[in-house]
Amino acid sequence: MPEIKPECSQASGPQKIFSWPYHRYMSMYRHSLEDPESFWATEARKLNWAQQWEKVLEWQPPYARWFVGGKINASYQCLDRHVKTWRRSKVAIYWEGENGETRTLSYSTLFREVNQCADVLLKLGVKKGDIVALYLPMITELPVFMLACARIGAVHTVVFSGLSAQSLGDRVNDCKAKVVVTADGGYRRGKIFKLKQTADITVNSCPSVEKILVVKRTGEDVPMVEGRDYWYSDLIDEDVHYVAPEAFEATHPLYILYTSGTTGKPKGVVHSTGGYLVFNHSTFKWIFDIREDSVFWCTADIGWVTGHSYAVYGPLSHGAAIVLYEGSPDYPTIDRWWDIIEKYSVNIFYTSPTAIRMFMKYGEEYPARHNLSSLELLASVGEPISAEAWCWYYKHIGQEKCPIVDTWWQTETGGFMIAPSPGIEPMPLKPGSATLPLPGIDVAILDAEGNELGTNQKGYLVIKKPWPGMLMDIYGDSELYKKNYWSRFKGVYYPGDYAMRDEDGYFWLYGRADEVLKVAGHRIGTAEIESSVAELDEVTEAAVASRPDEVKGEAIVLFISLKTGYKPSDDLKKAIVGHIRKNIGPIAAPDEIYFVQSLPKTRSGKIMRRVLKAVASNQGLGDLSTIEDQESVTEVKKAYEALKGCTRD
Ligand code: PRX
């Protein structure tokens, strides 16, 4: 690992830390773009294929099919190949319950549990291609069910356990899941949340669901419907040790994961088996530089893509030991995470800027109470990390000896796209920059008209070539897939982010360019909240903007105009918040609600989001010089003044 010494005392802006030529990365990157097929074929050979592919890539824009003709099994990749070696007795998962319970699973125990689980699914009639929804807390059964689905070719769709019944129902109905797996409950901040009851509310309105499997976690009584609901533990056959992993086509879907976009409903991102695994396996190694004896901890909930790619498939496909923690970062004490790092001697730690900002606020005395000397590498994901947070992380968690890898990617990309890659070659770091694109990732920054921009010019990030981890489609909505990612700029993938490339070729990511918010690292579409609020009788129209928040990054501000006859009140505010929590989940609850006479709109009827944002964040309108039409500048200014006046009341 290189010695990296940022001048964190002057952490106010981008700064260059260290500089040396990085030939290995450069030559790998060049080769990957000149001959992507041979490059990715070499990477793919690192995995265990049941059948070799015939074609590395079939590219019929905008659809990419990777390793066509190849057959592979994801659960074999993550388990069987390890239990055939000494790794059978190696720790796969150190699990830490919020209430202090612990479990340590070796690869052979995990293997047995996955096989028994696959047997249960088969007994319930789950077949290749069936969709299984996993609505579970962060317990070991969650990766077990994912790998069991993968073993038999069922497609899992994990639904974050903090999402509401309605959100679960929307997802289950969209993909027509046949089985829902949930738990009697889970622990969050010392309290039990009743997952089975929440799932019940939903499942009654989900005609596709035939069975509900319930994992015991809290031991509380839960209502069970005969013939539909089963305790998972009752179905496990202890005599089963092996269910043969069938080899599936590389293009067989491994999972669907719902994420928010600019439409009112979350969309189901479909990932392949072969391409996804190749991308996941290689990027995990490049970025985390994993060693056989590393203990790896990704704090993300498995309900999100980070948990899929880098808490489950990536580390397990490398036979790594992972930490899985069930609960809140600061419960029951503020130093819970630092305690876990010390307890398991974690070497590689992957978390989000929002968590770092929260711990910064608590103060450095909490990590200082712990021996964090096992740490070797720190990583960040989910939103831009400021130079200040980067340096705090570097100094107080990494104790000025761990590189910080800021990783830019998305649910749709399946894995890292722009990030330092110490596993290829140590490279200079700059606090706040995700540094360089990974091999195979051909990036550019465009202006609004699609012209490529030069250095130090902020614009729209695009990816010019397909990569193996790229989503295959949006489940059941190919039109949306084409429109969302491939129509903004001709022939290139548009992720929806602003970025800039500096004079060293380093990338600076500036967040979303569309109507998607990042609240505490969670991706939330403004349209989702707006359409939920519009269901209320009192509401004529609603629009969401955000304001900067010290910990969460962005806070949600809701503007609402009421129907005649309804008056703003605190009770109404509470009812609106309650409605959103019930409809989407607590993560989408607004921080502030403004009642306004009417929403600011252009003559063509479009909501002036710029005005809302300026009012929400109590800032001016900024530079209006890019708006050519002088009349609309006047219009924007007028709307801003009117709305500001209105919200002050
Ligand atoms: O805006 C970017 C931001 O998160 C978005 C993707 O969100 P999601 O699909 O939920 O995946 C999060 C985990 C991969 C991106 O479009 N984002 C993610 N990582 C970074 C980031 N923004 C800046 N820097 C990052 N490192």
Side-chain angles (χ1 to χ4, degrees):
M1 206 51 70
E3 196 194 345
I4 295 164
K5 289 200 169 83
E7 296 304 323
C8 280
S9 50
Q10 306 152 28
S12 51
Q15 52 204 281
K16 200 155 173 175
I17 297 164
F18 229 57
S19 188
W20 66 83
Y22 21 101
H23 298 302
R24 202 173 136 79
Y25 161 83
M26 283 302 186
S27 72
M28 206 163 148
Y29 187 68
R30 217 169 289 127
H31 165 56
S32 74
L33 295 197
E34 280 164 11
D35 193 353
E37 297 197 19
S38 96
F39 176 82
W40 287 118
T42 307
E43 290 303 310
R45 279 188 208 102
K46 295 175 184 165
L47 270 60
N48 298 57
W49 294 81
Q51 188 176 301
Q52 166 89 12
W53 56 91
E54 281 148 21
K55 220 170 166 200
V56 175
L57 171 65
E58 222 175 68
W59 178 221
Q60 287 178 343
Y63 289 98
R65 283 158 50 86
W66 287 89
F67 309 108
V68 182
K71 288 193 172 176
I72 192 163
N73 183 293
S75 124
Y76 183 95
Q77 185 61 37
C78 294
L79 298 169
D80 301 48
R81 67 188 203 89
H82 306 312
V83 296
K84 287 179 182 167
T85 69
W86 67 271
R87 282 198 197 120
R88 75 180 72 89
S89 54
K90 179 178 173 178
V91 172
I93 304 178
Y94 292 107
W95 177 77
E96 172 100 2
E98 195 192 71
N99 59 355
E101 276 177 60
T102 59
R103 278 193 82 195
T104 301
L105 277 76
S106 65
Y107 269 93
S108 67
T109 310
L110 183 62
F111 178 72
R112 193 188 62 235
E113 292 197 5
V114 168
N115 278 275
Q116 288 173 344
C117 182
D119 174 62
V120 169
L121 291 173
L122 288 174
K123 277 196 300 219
L124 289 179
V126 177
K127 294 186 298 296
K128 175 185 171 188
D130 285 345
I131 294 167
V132 177
L134 306 178
Y135 188 51
L136 285 166
M138 286 283 278
I139 52 180
T140 53
E141 284 81 357
L142 181 46
V144 165
F145 268 95
M146 291 163 82
L147 293 168
C149 286
R151 196 161 188 88
I152 63 169
V155 180
H156 59 72
T157 185
V158 182
V159 179
F160 172 53
S161 61
L163 289 181
S164 67
Q166 167 101 37
S167 296
L168 172 66
D170 287 347
R171 287 155 173 78
V172 166
N173 280 331
D174 186 71
C175 66
K176 298 183 189 54
K178 191 168 166 180
V179 173
V180 173
V181 184
T182 187
D184 49 2
Y187 291 94
R188 197 166 296 139
R189 307 199 76 76
K191 292 204 184 89
I192 286 177
F193 57 96
K194 299 176 187 297
L195 266 187
K196 169 67 165 68
Q197 268 100 322
T198 311
D200 277 344
I201 302 171
T202 299
V203 171
N204 295 331
S205 56
C206 298
S208 62
V209 176
E210 293 170 14
K211 308 269 188 257
I212 303 187
L213 273 179
V214 188
V215 176
K216 245 182 214 142
R217 166 69 189 116
T218 62
E220 291 214 312
D221 265 354
V222 295
M224 300 288 275
V225 175
E226 220 185 305
R228 186 198 69 181
D229 302 354
Y230 302 87
W231 286 105
Y232 172 53
S233 52
D234 289 348
L235 301 187
I236 294 175
D237 182 348
E238 290 296 340
D239 292 334
V240 169
H241 294 285
Y242 186 68
V243 170
E246 202 187 315
F248 300 106
E249 307 81 54
T251 50
H252 180 65
L254 179 63
Y255 66 81
I256 301 170
L257 186 58
Y258 284 82
T259 188
S260 296
T262 46
T263 55
K265 275 197 176 308
K267 42 189 199 261
V269 169
V270 185
H271 278 295
S272 71
T273 304
Y276 174 81
L277 283 178
V278 170
F279 193 62
N280 186 254
H281 189 78
S282 297
T283 53
F284 185 80
K285 175 75 187 149
W286 293 338
I287 274 45
F288 293 122
D289 196 20
I290 194 96
R291 286 192 323 265
E292 193 60 76
D293 61 347
S294 305
V295 176
F296 174 82
W297 184 18
C298 163
T299 64
D301 193 288
I302 295 176
W304 311 114
V305 75
T306 308
H308 280 61
S309 293
Y310 299 117
V312 179
Y313 288 110
L316 297 182
S317 81
H318 280 273
I322 64 165
V323 171
L324 202 65
Y325 170 55
E326 180 187 32
S328 305
D330 53 350
Y331 189 86
T333 52
I334 286 168
D335 56 349
R336 184 72 192 264
W337 273 12
W338 319 130
D339 186 48
I340 294 174
I341 291 178
E342 183 173 3
K343 180 171 173 185
Y344 298 105
S345 298
V346 171
N347 306 112
I348 304 166
F349 180 66
Y350 189 26
T351 194
S352 64
T354 194
I356 298 163
R357 290 190 298 261
M358 181 180 82
F359 286 114
M360 277 170 80
K361 236 179 142 188
Y362 283 141
E364 52 260 27
E365 60 271 31
Y366 296 98
R369 285 180 198 162
H370 293 272
N371 179 355
L372 304 180
S373 60
S374 59
L375 288 171
E376 293 169 6
L377 191 142
L378 302 174
S380 166
V381 65
E383 44 177 323
I385 179 165
S386 65
E388 195 196 355
W390 196 105
C391 287
W392 190 89
Y393 196 25
Y394 180 79
K395 195 164 170 197
H396 299 290
I397 308 303
Q399 303 176 343
E400 302 193 2
K401 67 177 177 64
C402 306
I404 293 183
V405 295
D406 176 18
T407 63
W408 178 86
W409 60 296
Q410 320 179 285
T411 305
E412 293 87 340
T413 69
F416 304 133
M417 302 292 276
I418 304 178
S421 42
I424 298 173
E425 182 173 28
M427 51 183 59
L429 300 174
K430 301 185 195 189
S433 165
T435 72
L436 298 164
L438 294 189
I441 308 304
D442 192 3
V443 275
I445 295 174
L446 308 182
D447 68 12
E449 278 71 49
N451 306 306
E452 212 160 319
L453 292 171
T455 49
N456 294 320
Q457 288 182 290
K458 181 176 163 184
Y460 303 94
L461 184 72
V462 295
I463 321 287
K464 298 202 281 187
K465 279 190 180 60
W467 64 100
M470 186 175 111
L471 76 164
M472 290 206 300
D473 210 344
I474 295 288
Y475 189 81
D477 200 344
S478 299
E479 284 315 307
L480 185 61
Y481 168 75
K482 291 178 204 157
K483 182 167 168 268
N484 233 33
Y485 308 109
W486 300 96
S487 69
R488 175 71 180 85
F489 300 105
K490 200 166 174 280
V492 293
Y493 173 87
Y494 173 56
D497 276 41
Y498 287 120
M500 186 196 83
R501 190 190 332 225
D502 70 15
E503 59 285 354
D504 293 321
Y506 275 38
F507 282 81
W508 298 81
L509 283 310
Y510 294 124
R512 304 288 307 194
D514 55 8
E515 263 104 60
V516 172
L517 309 180
K518 271 288 174 149
V519 180
H522 299 306
R523 181 163 158 181
I524 301 167
T526 52
E528 239 173 284
I529 304 175
E530 288 160 7
S531 59
S532 165
V533 175
E535 288 167 7
L536 291 166
D537 287 343
E538 297 89 338
V539 173
T540 309
E541 238 184 340
V544 166
S546 72
R547 64 165 161 72
D549 182 273
E550 209 187 324
V551 173
K552 294 195 287 185
E554 283 186 286
I556 300 172
V557 181
L558 184 57
F559 294 85
I560 288 183
S561 68
L562 294 175
K563 284 188 189 143
T564 345
Y566 291 102
K567 287 210 158 45
S569 69
D570 283 346
D571 283 346
L572 184 55
K573 276 190 184 175
K574 268 193 212 140
I576 292 165
V577 173
H579 177 80
I580 297 170
R581 291 174 79 94
K582 195 164 140 265
N583 256 257
I584 307 175
I587 55 169
D591 293 80
E592 254 167 89
I593 298 180
Y594 290 136
F595 293 107
V596 296
Q597 294 299 325
S598 58
L599 294 172
K601 294 203 180 145
T602 61
R603 272 159 297 163
S604 60
K606 271 186 86 174
I607 293 174
M608 295 177 186
R609 295 203 174 259
R610 171 183 212 139
V611 170
L612 294 181
K613 199 166 170 71
V615 173
S617 48
N618 203 14
Q619 280 169 358
L621 281 167
D623 181 14
L624 297 180
S625 63
T626 50
I627 307 180
E628 276 171 24
D629 176 0
Q630 264 315 307
E631 248 182 82
S632 57
V633 173
T634 318
E635 206 182 2
V636 166
K637 282 185 178 159
K638 234 169 95 187
Y640 173 70
E641 291 307 326
L643 194 66
K644 248 176 70 178
C646 185
T647 52
R648 263 199 302 268
D649 298 337

